[in-house]
């Protein structure tokens, strides 16, 4: 017997990430090749015509797993009974901006959407915030949803997976090992240049990657800035912010959360439970293992002085961002 469809809400459906994301969700790459989906697409009133165009193209793919589509400019409709939500819709940064420069502009979107999720979504909805600055936007949505006391606020997450994937590629190229051989990588903190990509625990076919690299100067002068500033480098090269790689990371994040990471570590921005000295509730990138639709934070890793310093810098930025939005909450 075929499975009941899962309701997936996607915001910013007419945008460039939306265009890379929706077809892959509908083809089963996110929730499995046996899992029908209903897409609930939210965008602004002026983008509804473009959303209709995307829906026409989705129809033209004749995806067997696409069990229905809804297009709307009303968040209360988009999130109704949604079991998964990808909050992509927000303004992207342009050249010379930092992601936190988007905070005042984008923050209000996430109070409105957090309230709609809090009132109308499935109580166990899994939320991934992609729109920048994604950690603090996820925090805003979570705090707003929390007021309605219906949904599991542990399930509000921010996207660090693109940074994780970027770090994997840089490490593969530095060590000459395949991406698929690399395990136990983590990117701590904020999705911003302050993020701390940490390969101290990383293994490649049983070999310690830190020992393979054996180059602390490369770590601080090449690797960390390359990963941290990759988004800006893409904006500089393309004239637009990353889209296909962002959509790919969103698929990876939700797929692993729903279908499990088979014991492997994945980086997720999750509301802190106080581990690693991160204040409770701050959405902070940590290593997680996912199983049965739940994530568990990998605990008790040793944090050396260099790592503590980096983790504090990225935490302080998140605390500043939280301070900047406190009047909205
Ligand atoms: N976390 C990450 O790793 C990551 C990676 C890439 C991009 N991003 C961010 O994702 C966001 C979207 O990027 P994009 O390239 O798709 O932008 P885009 O401008 O191409 O598309 C954004 C879409 O969102 C819509 N939108 C705006 N406000 C909305 C609202 N209130 N409700 C619903 N829809 C709304 C717009 O109409 C547009 O269709 C940006 O904030 C960007 O910075 C995050
Ligand atoms: O950098 C940006 O503004 C877009 C995105 O967050 C990225 O990392 O590519």
């Amino acid at each position: 017997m075929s499975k009941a469809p899962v309701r997936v809400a996607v915001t910013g459906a007419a945008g460039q990430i939306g265009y890379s994301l929706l077809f892959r969700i509908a083809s089963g790459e996110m929730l499995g090749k046996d899992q029908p989906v209903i897409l609930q697409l939210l965008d602004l009133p002026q983008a509804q015509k473009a959303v209709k165009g995307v829906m026409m193209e989705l129809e033209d793919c004749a995806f067997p797993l696409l069990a229905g589509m809804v297009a709307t400019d009303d968040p209360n409709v988009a999130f109704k009974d949604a079991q998964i939500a990808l909050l992509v819709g927000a303004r992207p940064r342009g050249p010379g901006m930092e992601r936190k420069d988007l905070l005042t502009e984008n923050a209000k979107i996430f109070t409105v959407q957090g309230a709609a999720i809090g009132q109308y979504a499935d109580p166990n909805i899994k939320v991934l915030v992609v729109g920048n600055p994604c950690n603090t936007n996820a925090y805003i949505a979570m705090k707003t949803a929390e007021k309605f006391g219906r949904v599991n606020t542990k399930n509000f997450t921010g996207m660090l997976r693109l940074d994780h994937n970027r770090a994997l590629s840089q490490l593969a190229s530095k060590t000459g090992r395949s991406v698929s051989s690399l395990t136990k990588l983590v990117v701590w903190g904020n999705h911003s240049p302050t993020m701390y990509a940490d390969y101290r625990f990383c293994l490649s076919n049983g070999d310690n990657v830190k020992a393979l690299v054996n180059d602390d100067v490369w770590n601080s002068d090449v690797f960390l800035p390359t990963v941290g500033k990759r988004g800006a480098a893409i904006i500089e090269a393309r004239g637009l912010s990353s889209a296909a790689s962002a959509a790919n990371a969103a698929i990876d994040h939700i797929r692993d959360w729903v279908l499990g990471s088979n014991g492997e570590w994945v980086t997720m921005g999750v509301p802190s439970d106080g581990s690693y000295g991160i204040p409770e509730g701050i959405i902070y990138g940590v290593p997680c293992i996912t199983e049965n639709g739940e994530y568990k934070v990998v605990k008790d890793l040793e944090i050396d002085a260099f790592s503590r310093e980096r983790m504090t810098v990225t935490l302080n930025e998140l605390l500043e961002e939280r301070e900047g939005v406190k009047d909205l909450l």
Side-chain angles (χ1 to χ4, degrees):
M1 203 176 76
S2 69
K3 292 178 165 179
V6 169
R7 292 184 175 271
V8 180
V10 180
T11 76
Q16 49 152 8
I17 296 178
Y19 198 68
S20 288
L21 187 59
L22 294 170
F23 298 85
R24 294 185 62 189
I25 298 174
S27 74
E29 283 182 61
M30 187 172 82
L31 298 179
K33 295 285 180 186
D34 59 347
Q35 179 57 66
V37 292
I38 296 174
L39 293 174
Q40 307 191 162
L41 307 176
L42 180 70
D43 210 306
L44 297 173
Q46 61 271 28
Q48 290 303 304
K49 188 169 170 221
V51 176
K52 295 276 158 33
V54 175
M55 289 167 77
M56 286 159 69
E57 285 205 66
L58 281 159
E59 269 170 30
D60 293 350
C61 294
F63 289 120
L65 293 172
L66 186 54
M69 288 187 272
V70 177
T72 179
D73 59 9
D74 180 349
N76 296 349
V77 173
F79 294 115
K80 177 95 180 83
D81 300 326
Q83 293 149 287
I84 309 273
L86 295 133
L87 309 192
V88 179
R91 192 190 146 187
R93 66 173 164 156
M97 292 170 80
E98 279 308 339
R99 297 181 188 99
K100 64 182 169 199
D101 298 335
L102 296 169
L103 195 52
T104 38
E105 191 145 349
N106 285 340
K108 284 193 198 103
I109 297 175
F110 296 89
T111 54
V112 173
Q113 295 182 2
I117 292 170
Q119 293 172 88
Y120 301 109
D122 182 284
N124 282 315
I125 185 169
K126 291 179 167 58
V127 179
L128 171 63
V129 179
V130 175
N132 278 318
C134 63
N135 297 54
T136 297
N137 288 337
Y139 178 80
I140 295 169
M142 174 184 77
K143 282 291 173 193
T144 314
E146 195 175 71
K147 295 179 187 161
F148 301 92
R150 280 182 68 248
V151 298
N152 180 0
T153 50
K154 193 174 171 248
N155 283 352
F156 282 71
T157 65
M159 194 161 91
L160 270 290
R161 187 61 177 262
L162 181 53
D163 312 300
H164 183 107
N165 289 347
R166 287 168 172 165
L168 280 178
S169 275
Q170 296 298 323
L171 284 170
S173 125
K174 174 73 177 170
T175 57
R177 301 291 178 101
S178 66
V179 163
S180 60
S181 76
L182 300 172
T183 57
K184 297 197 169 172
L185 174 72
V186 53
V187 182
W188 302 98
N190 198 6
H191 173 62
S192 97
T194 64
M195 72 185 79
Y196 171 43
D198 180 3
Y199 56 84
R200 292 175 303 134
F201 311 101
C202 191
L203 299 173
S204 167
N205 301 325
D207 299 326
N208 179 278
V209 169
K210 187 169 177 347
L212 288 176
V213 170
N214 193 24
D215 189 345
D216 287 348
V217 175
W218 178 81
N219 182 38
S220 31
D221 292 3
V222 180
F223 175 70
L224 292 174
T226 301
V227 177
K229 295 183 192 155
R230 188 68 163 188
I234 286 167
I235 291 169
E236 176 59 30
R238 251 170 52 86
L240 286 170
S241 75
S242 64
S245 56
N248 180 66
I251 299 265
D252 284 352
H253 179 116
I254 298 286
R255 183 201 58 226
D256 288 345
W257 190 358
V258 172
L259 300 177
S261 66
N262 299 317
E264 302 295 347
W265 296 11
V266 290
T267 301
M268 297 171 73
V270 303
S272 176
D273 60 2
S275 315
Y276 299 107
I278 309 306
E280 265 183 51
I282 291 284
I283 309 276
Y284 194 92
V286 287
C288 294
I289 292 175
T290 52
E291 200 179 358
N292 301 324
E294 308 230 329
Y295 66 84
K296 285 206 181 77
V297 177
V298 177
K299 299 281 177 75
D300 300 326
L301 296 170
E302 193 208 319
I303 306 299
D304 61 17
F306 177 84
S307 303
R308 178 53 68 195
E309 196 191 315
R310 293 280 177 161
M311 288 169 71
T312 302
V313 169
T314 191
L315 169 62
N316 286 343
E317 185 180 44
L318 283 167
L319 293 174
E320 245 176 63
E321 290 181 17
R322 182 178 69 174
E323 184 61 22
V325 299
K326 69 174 192 303
D327 293 343
L328 286 173
L329 302 174

